[in-house]
């Protein structure tokens, strides 16, 4: 939220998307923001807006940030305005050039938006202090008090010949205390810093040169002051030597730097180190492991179905659960709170929160890979007892992926990535378990990564197509409708099975735009068949779990179908029972909204999941689809006969239609007709085909069955 009188930031960047993201982050941090799209516009924008600070990109087409900054510094009004340069360049030459042209500071891309506001505020505070110092030489004493700054002179033996009135206040020492030399001052320096200060003084005298040094006054960690000393060496007539310098209280700056460090390396919800801190700690732990031929393990932990807790009970409850789970993990690992806050100072077991509901555990020294499995089981056991969060009893379990050094990699990035891959496999195996990374899993992970990269642009490149498979009335064998099925033809990978790419699309979130595209194509094809005199049919379209969980689902699918000019009742939305049972209460609400919008609703692959009949009868569905796994061995398999009979009878009792998938033989067709199944679908009648190839079949079939 922007407050009245907020500091104005002039944002100069040719990347429109980055400007949008940066503006949002800065406005959320309380800044006002104005923009320019190129360095050539900087000076004009500065005079028009009079900003308090400039955020300037380096790489721009017409005038880069270096030249633009140099031009700005030629303007008298901009002489002291802070300029923070943003750059993807991290070489020393670029950094030096940034300072040479007048940049106040620089930050490398990608920008950490959480820290950007703090950095700008600190720069503005520094500017305000400098402005105060420049305000008037006649008011130097006042300016020094504002800056927590005092000046001094000493001779070549370290005796003070002059101290400003502000020195005692800067040091936090009584004015009555006589400080006549550095030796006297050293008595009040923090014990850990005293040797550091004395060594800096001796080295400066030995080399006869200027120096700077930081130290603390006082031994109490809560009240110790951070002091910055700057000294300039001078030679006097006759060869005598003196030093002139300043002492500045930089405690506030140190606290700000510590806060920035904490934001960079610690999670603000749990107080645990974050992924960046764990990566650094892991890289440190690999050194001894390599030198001493030790086995090391990394565990990636994910709380199963945590998103449902956030969605149903709110983020506050979710955050409290994360803190509680982190506490149990820490106890199970016997990690002290101090260890979790200072990972760089210990090579013991370490725990971090990576992101969302994911935690990382480092076991820097284990006897064998199997020991990591023992720890993984101990971590899973830590979650068996339900959590009491705000009076609510919450049950949660965990999936865990394990990568082991040296078998699974010898760098921090490799081990973290392989632990994540093993975690993904554990989730695919049904969750609530642990999995080790293996060579086979590595190959699978590489293939998956390659496919994910290809999948991201497939929709824009037009590589997807929609095939249609007819559904026939079981008694008359007249065409009753179609099912729309997506196909991916990649120019290099060839035909990619939906069984391979749909799970990846689900995990990456790409399933939402892909699924909506399929729905739109199906609706448009129905309209095209209407225009061709082949109208009146309905089409079934699968809804993925990712789509089903999107907000305002009914509005979104209605808008897509309406834009094609097709009535909602001609679209049948299919969902698997596992999706519906993820959160049955929310599923009932969402299905009621879809039903009210006019859509038909079907449960796909019925009988393969774990539907509760008490919930099933509450769902406003129209159709149960009998999974092809129950049709394949009909009519010879007694178990399949019993299952199909049960599903058909139950559907009839609930007033639902049944559709049997995978019908490939006449014997299957005849049996299903006799049992009262309403519609049939399968290769016996037609495989899935593109619309233009299906149309001749459709005309011929209609003529034959009329």
């Amino acid at each position: 939220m922007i407050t009245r009188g907020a500091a104005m930031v002039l944002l100069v960047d040719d990347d429109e998307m980055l400007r949008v993201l940066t503006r949002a982050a800065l406005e959320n941090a309380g800044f006002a923001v104005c923009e320019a799209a190129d360095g050539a516009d900087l000076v004009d924008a500065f005079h028009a807006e009079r900003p308090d600070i400039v955020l300037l990109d380096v790489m721009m087409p017409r005038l880069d940030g270096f030249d633009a900054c140099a031009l700005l510094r030629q303007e008298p009004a901009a002489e002291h305005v802070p300029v923070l340069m943003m750059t993807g360049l991290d070489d020393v030459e670029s950094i030096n050039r940034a300072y040479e042209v007048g940049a106040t500071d620089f930050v490398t891309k990608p920008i950490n938006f959480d820290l950007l506001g703090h950095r700008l505020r600190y720069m503005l505070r520094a500017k305000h202090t400098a402005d105060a110092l420049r305000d008037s030489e006649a008011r130097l004493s006042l300016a020094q008090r504002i800056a927590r700054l005092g000046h001094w002179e000493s001779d070549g033996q370290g005796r003070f010949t002059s101290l400003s009135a502000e020195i005692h206040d800067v040091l936090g020492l009584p004015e009555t205390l006589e400080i006549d030399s550095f030796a006297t001052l050293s008595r009040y320096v923090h014990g850990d810093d005293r040797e550091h200060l004395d060594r800096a003084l001796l080295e400066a005298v030995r080399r006869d040169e200027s120096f700077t040094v930081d130290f603390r006054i006082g031994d109490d960690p809560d009240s110790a002051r951070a002091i910055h000393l700057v000294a300039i060496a001078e030679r006097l007539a006759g060869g005598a030597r003196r030093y002139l310098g300043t002492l500045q209280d930089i405690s506030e700056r140190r606290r700000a730097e510590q806060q920035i460090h904490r934001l960079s390396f610690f999670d603000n919800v749990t107080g645990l180190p974050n992924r960046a801190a764990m990566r650094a700690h892991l890289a440190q732990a690999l050194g001894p492991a390599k030198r001493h031929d030790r086995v090391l393990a990394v565990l990636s932990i994910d709380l199963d179905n945590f998103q449902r807790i956030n969605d149903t009970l709110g983020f506050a409850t979710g955050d409290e659960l994360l803190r509680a789970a982190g506490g149990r993990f820490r106890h199970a690992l016997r990690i002290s709170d101090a260890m979790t806050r200072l990972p760089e100072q210990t090579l013991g077991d370490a725990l971090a929160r990576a992101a969302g509901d994911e935690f990382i555990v480092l076991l820097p020294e284990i006897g064998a890979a199997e020991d990591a499995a023992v720890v993984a089981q101990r971590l899973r056991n830590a979650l068996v007892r339900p959590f009491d969060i705000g009076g609510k009893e919450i049950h949660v379990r965990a999936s865990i992926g394990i990568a082991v050094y040296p078998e699974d990699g010898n760098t921090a990035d490799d081990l973290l990535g392989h632990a994540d891959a093993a975690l993904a496999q554990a989730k695919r195996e049904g969750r609530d378990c642990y999995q080790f990374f293996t060579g086979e899993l590595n190959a699978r992970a590489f293939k998956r990564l390659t496919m994910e990269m290809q999948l991201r642009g497939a929709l824009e490149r037009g590589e997807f197509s929609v095939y249609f498979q007819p559904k026939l009335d079981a008694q008359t064998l007249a065409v009753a409708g179609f099912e729309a099925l997506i196909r991916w033809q990649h120019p290099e990978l060839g035909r990619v099975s939906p069984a391979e790419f749909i799970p990846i699309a689900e995990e990456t979130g790409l399933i939402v735009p892909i699924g909506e595209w399929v729905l739109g194509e199906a609706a448009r094809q129905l309209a095209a068949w209407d225009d061709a005199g082949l109208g009146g049919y309905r089409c079934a379209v699968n809804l993925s779990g990712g789509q089903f969980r999107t907000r305002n689902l009914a509005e979104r699918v209605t808008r897509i179908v309406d834009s094609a000019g097709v009535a909602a009742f001609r679209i049948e939305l299919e969902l698997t029972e596992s999706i519906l049972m993820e959160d049955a209460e929310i599923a009932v609400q969402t299905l009621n909204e879809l039903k009210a919008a006019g859509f038909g609703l079907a449960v796909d692959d019925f009988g393969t999941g774990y539907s509760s009949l008490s919930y099933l009868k509450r769902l406003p569905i129209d159709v149960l689809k009998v999974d092809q796994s129950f049709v394949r061995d009909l009519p010879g398999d007694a178990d399949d006969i019993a299952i199909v009979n049960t599903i058909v009878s139950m559907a009839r009792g609930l007033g639902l239609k049944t559709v049997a998938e995978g019908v490939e033989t006449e014997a299957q067709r005849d049996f299903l007709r006799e049992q009262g199944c309403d519609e049939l679908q399968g290769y016996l009648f037609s495989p899935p085909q593109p619309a233009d190839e299906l149309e001749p079949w459709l005309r011929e079939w209609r003529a034959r069955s009329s």
Side-chain angles (χ1 to χ4, degrees):
M1 176 182 291
I2 301 174
T3 57
R4 179 177 297 179
M8 172 67 74
V9 179
L10 172 55
L11 172 60
V12 186
D13 197 317
D14 63 311
D15 187 331
E16 183 177 3
M17 180 56 68
L18 187 59
R19 291 205 309 274
V20 170
L21 295 174
T22 307
R23 172 186 277 271
L26 291 178
E27 289 181 344
N28 190 50
F31 291 91
V33 180
C34 56
E35 298 179 10
D38 192 87
D41 305 322
L42 171 59
V43 173
D44 289 342
F46 177 87
H47 287 298
E49 302 292 345
R50 292 289 180 172
D52 300 289
I53 192 165
V54 176
L55 189 55
L56 177 62
D57 187 30
V58 168
M59 305 303 292
M60 290 181 286
R62 289 195 292 156
L63 188 68
D64 68 27
F66 297 123
D67 292 336
C69 185
L71 286 175
L72 181 67
R73 288 308 189 202
Q74 295 175 15
E75 301 294 315
E79 182 181 0
H80 301 300
V81 172
V83 176
L84 177 61
M85 298 194 77
M86 303 180 293
T87 176
L89 308 171
D90 58 358
D91 57 286
V92 174
E93 181 179 349
S94 298
I95 294 170
N96 289 339
R97 187 180 177 194
Y99 286 125
E100 288 170 1
V101 298
T104 310
D105 204 349
F106 74 96
V107 61
T108 57
K109 294 181 178 179
I111 304 298
N112 186 324
F113 292 115
D114 290 335
L115 303 183
L116 183 59
H118 293 281
R119 186 182 289 269
L120 293 181
R121 288 193 186 92
Y122 178 73
M123 291 175 66
L124 286 171
R125 283 200 300 269
K127 174 187 179 298
H128 296 156
T129 300
D131 287 344
L133 289 171
R134 285 189 297 268
D135 185 58
S136 172
E137 288 294 328
R139 302 177 66 186
L140 177 60
S141 178
L142 175 61
Q144 287 187 340
R145 285 199 297 273
I146 292 173
R148 309 289 298 159
L149 184 73
H151 61 265
W152 54 269
E153 294 182 17
S154 76
D155 60 20
Q157 283 70 49
R159 294 186 294 265
F160 290 121
T161 57
S162 173
L163 291 177
S164 72
E166 296 79 25
I167 287 291
H168 284 78
D169 187 49
V170 167
L171 296 174
L173 298 175
E175 292 184 7
T176 55
L177 182 68
E178 183 179 0
I179 306 174
D180 58 3
S181 66
F182 277 109
T184 303
L185 174 63
S186 181
R187 299 173 192 165
Y188 305 98
V189 172
H190 191 288
D192 294 342
D193 298 345
R194 196 170 294 138
E195 183 180 349
H196 174 59
L197 173 61
D198 292 344
R199 189 166 55 249
L201 292 169
L202 288 172
E203 190 68 14
V205 171
R206 186 178 69 82
R207 294 188 176 186
D208 193 16
E209 62 184 16
S210 303
F211 69 98
T212 64
V213 63
D214 291 349
F215 56 89
R216 289 167 292 174
I217 294 290
D219 288 320
D220 186 341
D222 294 326
S223 60
R225 295 195 180 197
I227 304 298
H228 180 61
L229 181 151
V230 177
I232 298 174
E234 281 191 353
R235 279 284 181 180
L236 302 176
R241 185 170 44 201
R242 73 169 178 173
Y243 290 90
L244 301 93
T246 60
L247 290 171
Q248 183 177 17
D249 180 356
I250 58 171
S251 303
E252 181 181 352
R253 187 172 84 190
R254 283 285 181 264
R255 284 190 290 271
E257 290 171 349
Q258 290 168 0
Q259 177 65 9
I260 290 173
H261 177 270
R262 179 159 192 83
L263 290 171
S264 298
F265 293 102
F266 288 87
D267 168 49
N268 61 355
V269 173
T270 63
L272 294 170
N274 60 17
R275 189 180 185 92
M278 176 58 83
R279 183 188 177 282
H281 186 38
L282 173 56
Q284 181 188 10
L286 281 169
K290 292 174 181 178
R291 286 193 300 273
H292 304 295
D293 209 17
R294 294 173 181 164
V295 179
L296 173 153
V298 177
L299 282 64
S300 185
I301 311 168
D302 190 85
L303 301 183
D304 294 338
N305 299 318
F306 177 78
Q307 187 59 45
R308 284 198 331 205
I309 295 170
N310 268 346
D311 292 342
T312 56
L313 300 179
F315 289 102
T317 298
D319 287 348
E320 187 61 35
L321 178 60
L322 289 171
R323 283 188 286 271
R328 289 198 189 177
F329 290 151
R330 197 161 58 205
H331 179 74
L333 294 163
R334 299 178 179 86
I335 296 176
S336 71
D337 187 63
M339 272 186 174
T340 65
R341 297 181 187 280
L342 297 170
E344 69 279 3
Q345 295 185 12
T346 174
L347 286 179
D349 295 352
L351 171 68
R353 181 193 175 202
D357 59 336
E358 184 181 345
F359 294 83
I360 303 173
V361 168
L362 169 62
L363 306 176
E365 186 175 358
I366 56 177
E370 292 75 14
D371 294 340
V374 175
V375 176
Q377 187 57 48
R378 196 160 73 227
L379 293 168
R380 292 178 62 238
N381 291 341
L383 302 179
V384 169
R385 182 167 44 88
F387 291 87
D388 183 351
I389 308 293
K392 298 181 179 67
E393 187 176 281
I394 299 176
H395 295 262
V396 66
R397 303 310 302 270
S399 301
I400 302 176
I402 305 172
V404 178
Y405 168 84
E407 290 87 348
D408 300 332
N410 56 15
T411 69
D413 288 335
D414 282 348
L415 290 168
L416 287 169
H418 292 167
D420 286 342
L423 170 62
Q425 180 63 21
K427 292 162 74 173
R428 285 191 289 270
E429 292 289 335
R431 304 176 186 269
D432 191 19
C433 64
Y434 61 82
Q435 287 284 325
F436 279 91
F437 183 81
T438 64
E440 177 188 356
L441 190 57
N442 184 27
R444 201 181 314 162
F446 180 77
K447 180 180 179 182
R448 183 199 178 284
L449 178 62
T450 301
M451 190 172 295
E452 179 183 332
M453 294 170 60
Q454 298 295 328
L455 187 60
R456 289 191 177 276
L459 193 60
E460 291 76 10
R461 294 191 297 267
E463 294 171 4
F464 291 122
S465 59
V466 176
Y467 280 39
F468 296 86
Q469 186 173 35
K471 295 191 292 184
L472 278 63
D473 183 285
Q475 301 305 318
T476 67
L477 296 184
V479 175
F482 303 91
E483 180 178 5
L485 301 163
I486 189 170
R487 294 292 183 264
W488 182 16
Q489 184 68 37
H490 189 273
E492 297 173 5
L493 302 176
R495 175 65 63 85
V496 184
S497 168
E500 291 186 82
F501 73 82
I502 291 297
I504 298 175
E506 283 274 14
E507 291 176 24
T508 58
L510 294 170
I511 195 65
V512 175
I514 290 173
E516 291 183 347
W517 176 82
V518 172
L519 177 61
E521 288 295 295
R524 283 187 285 274
Q525 188 56 54
L526 287 182
W529 278 330
D530 289 346
D531 294 340
L534 297 171
Y537 296 113
R538 303 177 70 184
C539 187
V541 180
N542 290 284
L543 272 186
S544 68
Q547 287 177 276
F548 193 64
R549 288 186 289 270
T550 56
R551 292 186 177 182
N552 305 319
L553 175 62
E555 295 179 18
R556 294 170 71 116
V557 295
T558 298
R559 184 166 57 249
I560 293 170
V561 172
D562 283 350
S563 66
V566 173
F569 76 87
R570 296 181 61 190
I571 297 293
E572 187 174 272
L573 301 174
E574 294 186 358
L575 298 108
T576 63
E577 56 181 322
S578 58
I579 292 173
L580 296 175
M581 290 301 108
E582 279 185 7
D583 194 316
E585 293 294 338
I586 292 180
V588 170
Q589 177 183 339
T590 304
L591 290 180
N592 279 326
E593 292 171 356
L594 292 169
K595 190 70 174 176
F599 292 97
L601 301 172
V603 178
D604 195 12
D605 301 339
F606 185 75
T608 61
Y610 49 90
S611 295
S612 165
L613 292 179
S614 63
Y615 275 114
L616 183 62
K617 68 182 182 181
R618 292 176 54 195
L619 301 177
I621 57 177
D622 306 292
V623 177
L624 293 182
K625 295 194 73 174
V626 182
D627 187 68
Q628 58 184 334
S629 62
F630 303 131
V631 174
R632 186 177 301 118
D633 295 325
L634 291 177
D637 187 285
D639 291 337
D640 288 340
I641 290 173
I643 291 172
V644 171
N645 283 339
T646 299
I647 294 174
V648 172
S649 298
M650 182 180 64
R652 187 181 299 115
L654 294 173
L656 307 177
K657 287 200 313 182
T658 50
V659 177
E661 300 179 296
V663 180
E664 297 182 354
T665 69
E666 294 180 354
Q668 292 169 347
R669 176 198 65 192
D670 295 340
F671 174 81
L672 292 165
R673 293 171 74 176
E674 291 170 5
Q675 300 310 309
C677 190
D678 296 293
E679 294 179 3
L680 309 175
Q681 178 181 346
Y683 276 70
L684 177 63
F685 313 110
S686 171
Q689 301 181 66
D692 57 349
E693 296 179 20
L694 183 63
E695 190 168 314
W697 177 95
L698 180 57
R699 293 185 183 278
E700 180 183 346
W701 192 274
R702 284 180 60 155
R704 187 193 311 170
S705 59
S706 60

